[in-house]
């Protein structure tokens, strides 16, 4: 028996955060390991400390840029989902034969 629209819609948002949570945890772990390694090297090398400090600052700046890009991606996804909902609502309300054809095509494409 095919899934109802509510079941399909309920599954999609729950899948995405779970899939990315493991990747985020892995990236956080790697960042912490890199910080610990850099701190250890910084303590061992007195003259190379300035180079390592600059590299650590660069890594922190890159982390902030990546976080900003992640936020932008989440916002873009929200806008895309809103546009898709508006389009599907418009197709559902389309009158006549053309509306029927659009709804039939939507069922075949969006399944």
């Amino acid at each position: 028996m095919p899934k109802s629209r509510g079941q399909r819609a309920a599954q999609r948002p729950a899948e995405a955060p779970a899939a990315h949570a493991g990747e985020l945890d892995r990236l956080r772990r790697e960042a912490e390991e890199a910080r610990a390694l850099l701190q250890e090297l910084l303590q061992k090398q007195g003259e190379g400390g300035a180079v390592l400090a600059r590299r650590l600052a660069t890594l922190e700046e890159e982390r902030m840029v990546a976080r900003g890009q992640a936020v932008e991606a989440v916002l873009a996804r929200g806008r895309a989902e809103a546009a898709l909902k508006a389009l599907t609502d418009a197709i559902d309300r389309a009158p006549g034969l053309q509306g029927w054809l659009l709804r039939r095509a939507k069922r075949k494409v969006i399944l």
Side-chain angles (χ1 to χ4, degrees):
M1 177 170 227
K3 295 179 181 177
S4 70
R5 179 184 292 181
Q7 289 173 334
R8 283 193 316 262
Q11 288 176 352
R12 287 183 186 152
E15 292 169 357
H20 297 295
E23 185 177 353
L24 287 174
D25 290 338
R26 181 184 61 81
L27 290 173
R28 284 187 185 121
R29 243 186 348 267
E30 288 177 4
E32 288 300 320
E33 290 171 2
R35 275 195 198 106
L37 178 62
L38 286 173
Q39 290 296 335
E40 181 182 329
L41 289 173
L42 184 61
Q43 291 173 356
K44 286 182 180 179
Q45 298 176 350
E47 67 234 19
V51 174
L52 290 175
R54 283 195 303 271
R55 180 64 182 145
L56 186 59
T58 303
L59 287 173
E60 185 67 22
E61 182 180 334
E62 289 171 355
R63 184 186 65 84
M64 295 299 281
V65 168
R67 180 178 283 176
Q69 289 174 345
V71 169
E72 289 175 5
V74 168
L75 293 174
R77 179 180 177 187
R79 286 191 297 268
E81 287 176 350
L84 177 62
K85 180 165 176 27
L87 178 63
T88 56
D89 289 347
I91 288 172
D92 289 340
R93 284 181 274 146
L97 179 62
Q98 290 176 341
W100 180 81
L101 290 171
L102 285 170
R103 286 186 290 279
R104 185 170 172 89
K106 181 184 89 168
R107 279 193 301 263
K108 290 186 180 208
V109 172
I110 296 181
L111 286 177

